[in-house]
Amino acid sequence: MTSKSLRIILVDDHAVVRTGYKLLLENESDIEVVAELESGEQANQQARELNPDVIIMDLSMPGMGGLEAIRRIKAKNPEIKILVFSMHDNVSFVEHAMEAGASGYITKNNAPNILIHAVNQIAEGNTYIEPALESEMNVQHELGKGSALSNLSHREFQIFCLFAEGLNANDIANDLSLSVKTVANYQTQIKEKLNVSSTTELVKLAITNGIIEI
């Protein structure tokens, strides 16, 4: 039996999805899935203990979510590579995920071989962004423009997404280990930057930009 060389952690809150990805990955002779986790909290807690080469991370999960998990894991374990594997195909998610410390970003509508290719690329120390998303990012940068969400800081974007998903300030403060007052201050800053006056308008903007779906 060929020895496994790449140690992978799967992080997704859907067990059926994790099972499918595990079967796909372990069909490769040089990949071993060492853990299947359902939250960013679990990934943050177990990353150092399990010492994976690559973490495959969803973004939309209950609790702190993928963006915060990436930031915390990379702060403590900079050598671990993280590949975002998400339904979100909005460039803002790509930019903020990469800023948080991800090494790659692909969407779940890709062919299975793209996941394997992306894992191998970032394990070798390269950056891999799904070509269509990378092309869109490049076009936006060349034109000197982006979505309204591009002006948000990493933390603002993260809190914007959580508010848009229906969480209140108390929930967000708990998930991100912040004070309620701090979250409220961020909410004010976000509304000012996006030129909206209510949470309802924030949600509408999130729908328009593909952050959440109806």
Side-chain angles (χ1 to χ4, degrees):
M1 180 177 177
T2 305
S3 62
K4 304 282 186 177
S5 58
L6 281 183
R7 293 167 52 82
I8 307 291
I9 289 178
L10 286 173
V11 189
D12 194 296
D13 60 324
H14 295 97
V16 173
V17 172
R18 294 196 307 271
T19 298
Y21 296 155
K22 180 179 180 180
L23 290 172
L24 170 66
L25 290 161
E26 291 200 326
N27 193 46
E28 301 294 308
S29 61
D30 61 346
I31 291 177
E32 177 186 10
V33 176
V34 297
E36 299 174 57
L37 308 176
E38 62 181 8
S39 70
E41 285 85 349
Q42 288 182 354
N44 181 48
Q45 291 164 4
Q46 297 191 41
R48 176 162 293 183
E49 177 184 345
L50 294 171
N51 192 31
D53 299 294
V54 177
I55 296 176
I56 299 175
M57 178 84 70
D58 193 11
L59 291 182
S60 297
M61 297 178 287
M64 71 168 65
L67 285 174
E68 180 69 5
I70 293 168
R71 188 186 68 80
R72 295 190 188 189
I73 290 168
K74 291 296 289 188
K76 294 185 294 185
N77 313 277
E79 74 286 353
I80 295 177
K81 308 295 192 300
I82 300 177
L83 172 66
V84 173
F85 194 35
S86 171
M87 289 299 297
H88 293 295
D89 60 0
N90 184 288
V91 167
S92 294
F93 274 105
V94 184
E95 292 174 337
H96 285 286
M98 301 303 282
E99 287 173 10
S103 297
Y105 193 113
I106 63 174
T107 56
K108 291 181 177 179
N109 58 3
N110 277 284
N113 64 298
I114 298 299
L115 175 60
I116 302 299
H117 177 66
V119 166
N120 285 321
Q121 283 293 304
I122 71 169
E124 292 172 4
N126 302 314
T127 296
Y128 185 88
I129 299 174
E130 181 178 319
L133 290 174
E134 186 170 33
S135 177
E136 185 178 348
M137 287 174 63
N138 291 337
V139 169
Q140 289 189 5
H141 291 161
E142 288 172 6
L143 295 176
K145 67 177 185 179
S147 72
L149 307 180
S150 298
N151 293 325
L152 298 180
S153 70
H154 170 69
R155 181 66 87 187
E156 288 167 347
F157 180 75
Q158 185 180 37
I159 291 174
F160 165 78
C161 292
L162 294 173
F163 270 121
E165 290 171 4
L167 276 69
N168 61 37
N170 287 317
D171 294 331
I172 295 172
N174 183 59
D175 289 343
L176 301 183
S177 301
L178 300 173
S179 71
V180 175
K181 182 178 179 181
T182 296
V183 172
N185 289 339
Y186 272 118
Q187 186 181 25
T188 299
Q189 293 170 19
I190 291 165
K191 288 178 178 178
E192 289 176 352
K193 283 190 175 183
L194 298 180
N195 195 29
V196 299
S197 58
S198 68
T199 301
T200 299
E201 289 182 71
L202 279 181
V203 172
K204 288 180 179 178
L205 188 62
I207 293 171
T208 300
N209 284 273
I211 302 302
I212 58 175
E213 297 180 356
I214 57 173

